[in-house]
């Protein structure tokens, strides 16, 4: 566990840093996420403990590997229940890579369809690109009013490692009293969803913890909302 305090300003007492749990359900680079969050100023713990995950200021859900395997691991750890309960109470959750993909309605890999968490409509499908996997640095197109990408230049690059993605966004919000999700796009062969900001639920297809200063700024932005 990483413990940090943040200063309230010169001559002022320090405040406890925001508590972030990296949810350890067996499918994520939890150590690199822990280090990056600690550098960004969070008090970080890696755990699958139900109460700690529920009570943290922020919950980060990583994910690597196959969509179906991640979903099995998440359900075995009661992760879908934790995420649902946190979001119903407006408590922040950040998904990364496959940790973003599982938030969608379903995933299709090698012809096998797996049910996701259905927080957003959409299907995780193979990328239609000359070279797969999409591995390396790429730019994104973020909305101007994005809080996640605040302070990040338009030409900054982020680190991607994936063969599957959400290739279309089908959620429409017609009620003017409800803020529509902000969707960030990237392109590899075709456009795909690179990040989503939707109330307490944010997610990125790329790895901010592996994306240098730009990724560190994103994590700092997220921690600043907790």
């Amino acid at each position: 566990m990483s413990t940090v305090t943040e200063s309230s300003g010169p001559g002022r007492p320090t405040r406890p840093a925001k508590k972030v749990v990296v949810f350890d359900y067996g499918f994520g680079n939890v150590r690199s996420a822990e280090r990056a969050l600690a550098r960004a100023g969070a008090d970080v713990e890696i755990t699958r403990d139900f109460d700690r995950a529920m009570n943290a200021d922020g919950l980060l859900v990583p994910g690597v590997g196959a969509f179906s395997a991640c979903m099995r691991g998440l359900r075995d750890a009661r992760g879908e229940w934790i995420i649902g309960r946190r979001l119903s109470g407006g408590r922040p959750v950040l998904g990364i890579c496959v940790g973003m993909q599982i938030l969608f309605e379903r995933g299709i890999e090698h012809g096998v369809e797996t049910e996701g968490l259905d927080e957003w409509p959409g299907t995780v499908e193979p990328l239609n690109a000359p070279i797969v996997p999409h591995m390396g640095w790429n730019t994104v197109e973020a909305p101007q009013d994005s809080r996640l990408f605040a302070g990040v230049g338009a030409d900054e690059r982020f680190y991607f490692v994936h063969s599957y993605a959400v290739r279309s966004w089908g959620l429409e919000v017609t009620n003017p009293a409800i803020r529509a999700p902000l969707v960030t796009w990237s392109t590899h062969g075709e456009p795909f969803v690179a990040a989503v900001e939707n109330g307490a639920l944010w997610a990125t297809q790329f790895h901010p913890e592996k994306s240098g200063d730009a990724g560190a700024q994103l994590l700092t932005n997220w921690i600043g909302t907790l």
Side-chain angles (χ1 to χ4, degrees), residues 26-77:
F27 292 90
N29 296 319
V30 293
R31 293 298 174 187
S32 57
E34 177 193 33
R35 289 191 294 269
L37 287 165
R39 287 194 297 269
D43 175 7
V44 193
E45 181 178 11
I46 299 172
T47 183
R48 63 188 292 163
D49 180 83
F50 181 86
D51 290 331
R52 292 179 180 275
M54 283 295 301
N55 294 325
D57 296 307
L59 179 70
L60 186 145
V61 182
V64 295
F67 186 104
S68 58
C70 284
M71 280 304 306
R72 284 196 302 271
L74 191 73
R75 294 190 190 282
D76 287 346

Side-chain angles (χ1 to χ4, degrees), residues 15-208:
R15 299 174 300 193
K18 295 297 184 179
K19 180 71 176 184
V20 175
V21 160
V22 178
F23 194 56
D24 186 11
Y25 65 105
F27 292 90
N29 296 319
V30 293
R31 293 298 174 187
S32 57
E34 177 193 33
R35 289 191 294 269
L37 287 165
R39 287 194 297 269
D43 175 7
V44 193
E45 181 178 11
I46 299 172
T47 183
R48 63 188 292 163
D49 180 83
F50 181 86
D51 290 331
R52 292 179 180 275
M54 283 295 301
N55 294 325
D57 296 307
L59 179 70
L60 186 145
V61 182
V64 295
F67 186 104
S68 58
C70 284
M71 280 304 306
R72 284 196 302 271
L74 191 73
R75 294 190 190 282
D76 287 346
R78 301 173 68 194
E80 84 284 9
W81 202 85
I82 293 170
I83 292 170
R85 282 292 299 272
R86 285 187 62 92
L87 294 177
S88 67
R91 309 206 69 190
V93 175
L94 175 65
I96 289 177
C97 197
V98 184
M100 178 183 104
Q101 294 179 0
I102 58 178
L103 297 169
F104 286 87
E105 185 178 359
R106 63 184 176 272
I108 299 176
E109 295 180 333
H110 307 294
V112 177
E113 184 172 322
T114 303
E115 182 181 346
L117 297 183
D118 201 16
E119 294 293 339
W120 300 311
T123 301
V124 180
E125 302 174 286
L127 273 171
N128 183 17
I131 299 175
V132 175
H134 175 210
M135 182 181 297
W137 299 84
N138 204 348
T139 57
V140 303
E141 297 180 17
Q144 286 189 342
D145 53 348
S146 168
R147 297 173 68 192
L148 180 61
F149 290 88
V152 177
D155 58 346
E156 291 284 3
R157 294 176 178 268
F158 299 89
Y159 189 75
F160 291 84
V161 183
H162 63 118
S163 299
Y164 298 82
V166 176
R167 297 155 53 188
S168 63
W169 179 260
L171 179 60
E172 294 185 7
V173 177
T174 57
N175 186 340
I178 299 176
R179 181 178 172 85
L182 297 179
V183 182
T184 293
W185 295 86
S186 187
T187 300
H188 180 70
E190 62 181 340
F192 64 89
V193 176
V196 182
E197 299 162 66
N198 183 200
L201 182 59
W202 292 9
T204 67
Q205 177 61 70
F206 56 85
H207 288 270

